[in-house]
Amino acid sequence: MEEPEDKKFTGCYFFVHRLKTSAAALDFRELQLLSPALRGPSEKLSESRRAFLTFFFGRRNLSEVSRDEVLGAAAAYVALLRGLKPSAVGVGGGSAMHDAGGAPRGAQLGDLGALLKYSWRNILGAPVDTELNNTTFEIAAVMLNTGIWLLGYSDHLITNLKADSEEEKLKLAHDCLLKAAGIFEELVNVTKEFPREWRQRPLDFQEEVLTTFRCQAIAQAQEVTISMGVRRGTSAKVLGRLALAVADQYTTALTALNTVEAPVENRVSKWRQFITFKHDVYKAFGRHQQALSTMSGDAKSCGDAVSCVNAAKPLSDKAFNEVMRYSRLPPVKAEDQNSVAFVRLLVQIVDEDHRKLNLENDMVYYQHVSPTPPPLPDSSLITRPQDFALPAADAIWDAVNFAEIDAAVVAARQKEVAGEIEVAASGVEGRAAKPKPSSTTNCRIT
């Protein structure tokens, strides 16, 4: 049994997360006050950061931006950031960088980026600004923004399909989602290098939230696979197993998100409701496809098919109730009606096949219909996150003499200590002049 041509379940509906508000101004040229040798890298860092942020806060039309442009800008910025932490052993699993003599560079300093203050404003929860003098924090922020951008770009591709480039855009959206899933997966490792004393990390970087992002990306990638399969006439048996795996991913996502301790906030509530109705949609679609596959082949059983479609109908009805609730939750957008249309189509397909199968059994097969449907088949997850690896440090750092910079840092630190001793010895609180900092306020040596 097949649905009419105009009722093929080929659509996809994704949840688009907002990008974080642009961070406060950050000028890497302050590092030049530490050493003239840092002029080239600092200027390149400032330029690279501006180029990267252009894709997020420059209000550029997505139709005029390519995925490779964004990934290239992110990789270039991260490669420069990694040079700020020359003696670190593997941000996110990399290896230590050494100079020509084999000794770790930056032995005294460890992290040039610690002289700068990075900031992040939450995507989820209340708009709270977090500041930290830690290069890994900025790298994690770049990764998260890139993953979120890929989720949004995949939605842009799906909602702007054209007949002459339909399959090409579906494949690109699928690839974007798998890349996003790989980034979120690696982010869990990267955030483990956040300072131990930093007990309350921002909500966006909590492991449970990153797990939810990853599951959403994997599930949506498999949804694209299902959409392509329906277009190509893939068997109901295969489509049903794929759909059940999507439902499993949304179950994992919902479990993770429900463990997050955070105040009730509109975006979090709406995200949770999105995951809820999408789980119900693909559980219903999986049951529906089981009914169709039961009626195919030599061993077809109309009684079992009716039992399966009878189980699919309340699931699709529940999905519609959940999506209606989703569409009314703030922030309400015109695009929310696309989600309602997405689920309404499934309800119509299930209702039509429910009527046809029951009628066919009553008039032709006369088979017993069990109130308990047959067990669901095993799910089949065929989408996997693409492995993500941080780029190596930019070659511009190879020309920097870190031993010279370390010496300057040590000298500045000794000067501060000597000044503090002199103040303490004077016994006059608040009167003694403080030693001049070696750079700007944000570049104080600690």
Side-chain angles (χ1 to χ4, degrees):
M1 177 173 291
E2 297 181 354
E3 306 91 45
E5 188 63 27
D6 61 341
K7 287 190 178 180
K8 292 287 187 182
F9 193 60
T10 57
C12 295
Y13 178 80
F14 297 160
F15 186 86
V16 180
H17 300 273
R18 64 187 176 192
L19 291 165
K20 77 176 183 69
T21 303
S22 181
L26 177 64
D27 192 350
F28 290 99
R29 288 176 296 181
E30 294 176 348
L31 294 172
Q32 296 177 33
L33 300 174
L34 186 64
S35 170
L38 294 175
R39 178 177 179 178
S42 65
E43 290 181 347
K44 193 172 181 181
L45 269 163
S46 296
E47 179 183 343
S48 179
R49 183 173 186 270
R50 281 194 299 271
F52 172 71
L53 293 180
T54 296
F55 294 106
F56 299 93
F57 312 118
R59 301 185 183 280
R60 293 181 61 177
N61 189 331
L62 284 176
S63 300
E64 302 171 354
V65 178
S66 74
R67 178 200 60 182
D68 292 341
E69 274 187 286
V70 176
L71 294 179
Y77 182 38
V78 170
L80 287 161
L81 287 170
R82 293 201 72 183
L84 290 170
K85 200 171 183 179
S87 62
V89 178
V91 175
S95 58
M97 295 181 288
H98 294 78
D99 60 18
R105 301 185 304 181
Q108 298 287 341
L109 186 58
D111 185 359
L112 277 169
L115 306 178
L116 299 162
K117 186 175 290 184
Y118 304 102
S119 66
W120 175 265
R121 175 166 290 182
N122 277 8
I123 294 172
L124 302 170
V128 177
D129 289 320
T130 303
E131 295 182 336
L132 193 68
N133 299 76
N134 185 286
T135 301
T136 304
F137 182 48
E138 179 72 354
I139 290 175
V142 173
M143 291 174 65
L144 184 54
N145 250 348
T146 303
I148 294 296
W149 187 90
L150 287 169
L151 289 180
Y153 189 63
S154 66
D155 175 76
H156 165 75
L157 293 169
I158 292 295
T159 54
N160 290 278
L161 290 178
K162 295 180 180 179
D164 59 343
S165 60
E166 185 177 78
E167 186 159 334
E168 179 186 347
K169 285 190 174 182
L170 285 170
K171 288 180 179 178
L172 181 56
H174 184 268
D175 189 65
C176 287
L177 290 164
L178 295 186
K179 278 182 167 56
I183 290 173
F184 296 135
E185 191 168 71
E186 180 61 16
L187 252 175
V188 174
N189 297 323
V190 171
T191 55
K192 289 177 181 176
E193 296 195 18
F194 284 175
R196 292 182 180 179
E197 64 274 12
W198 192 23
R199 296 179 181 177
Q200 188 60 43
R201 65 177 61 188
L203 176 63
D204 301 336
F205 294 101
Q206 291 184 22
E207 185 171 347
E208 295 80 6
V209 171
L210 296 176
T211 297
T212 307
F213 279 131
R214 176 178 58 81
C215 289
Q216 179 190 341
I218 293 173
Q220 291 182 170
Q222 183 125 326
E223 289 178 57
V224 175
T225 300
I226 292 172
S227 177
M228 295 176 69
V230 172
R231 285 172 165 84
R232 296 172 178 176
T234 302
S235 70
K237 183 177 181 180
V238 172
L239 291 174
R241 294 181 64 193
L242 294 176
L244 293 174
V246 172
D248 290 343
Q249 285 297 304
Y250 282 122
T251 297
T252 304
L254 191 60
T255 300
L257 192 58
N258 283 339
T259 61
V260 175
E261 295 183 6
V264 177
E265 191 262 343
N266 289 341
R267 293 291 300 187
V268 177
S269 298
K270 190 143 189 170
W271 190 21
R272 183 181 289 109
Q273 187 62 24
F274 164 83
I275 294 170
T276 299
F277 91 73
K278 288 297 283 287
H279 165 271
D280 293 343
V281 162
Y282 283 94
K283 198 67 177 286
F285 186 66
R287 270 295 187 193
H288 171 259
Q289 294 298 297
Q290 183 188 21
L292 300 186
S293 65
T294 303
M295 280 297 288
S296 63
D298 297 334
K300 66 181 179 181
S301 169
C302 191
D304 285 346
V306 171
S307 184
C308 289
V309 79
N310 285 348
K313 182 169 170 42
L315 288 171
S316 64
D317 290 342
K318 181 176 181 295
F320 189 74
N321 291 333
E322 296 291 355
V323 77
M324 289 302 295
R325 183 184 173 195
Y326 167 83
S327 68
R328 296 183 184 115
L329 284 176
V332 176
K333 298 181 179 179
E335 293 83 1
D336 292 343
Q337 292 308 308
N338 294 336
S339 67
V340 176
F342 167 74
V343 182
R344 181 180 286 117
L345 175 61
L346 175 65
V347 171
Q348 292 172 350
I349 291 172
V350 172
D351 284 353
E352 181 66 14
D353 286 338
H354 178 268
R355 183 188 64 80
K356 288 181 179 180
L357 283 170
N358 275 277
L359 182 62
E360 190 170 355
N361 191 55
D362 290 344
M363 299 185 66
V364 179
Y365 292 97
Y366 306 108
Q367 293 181 359
H368 171 70
V369 177
S370 172
T372 304
L376 285 167
D378 293 335
S379 61
S380 177
L381 183 66
I382 62 174
T383 52
R384 298 286 187 276
Q386 288 187 14
D387 290 338
F388 176 83
L390 292 171
D394 191 284
I396 195 170
W397 293 103
D398 293 342
V400 176
N401 187 334
F402 280 87
E404 177 184 306
I405 296 173
D406 286 348
V409 171
V410 172
R413 184 177 295 133
Q414 290 175 343
K415 186 175 181 180
E416 284 194 16
V417 171
E420 290 169 1
I421 292 175
E422 181 180 346
V423 171
S426 69
V428 180
E429 295 184 1
R431 184 177 61 83
K434 294 182 180 180
K436 292 183 179 179
S438 56
S439 62
T440 65
T441 303
N442 282 344
C443 290
R444 177 179 172 81
I445 307 299
T446 57

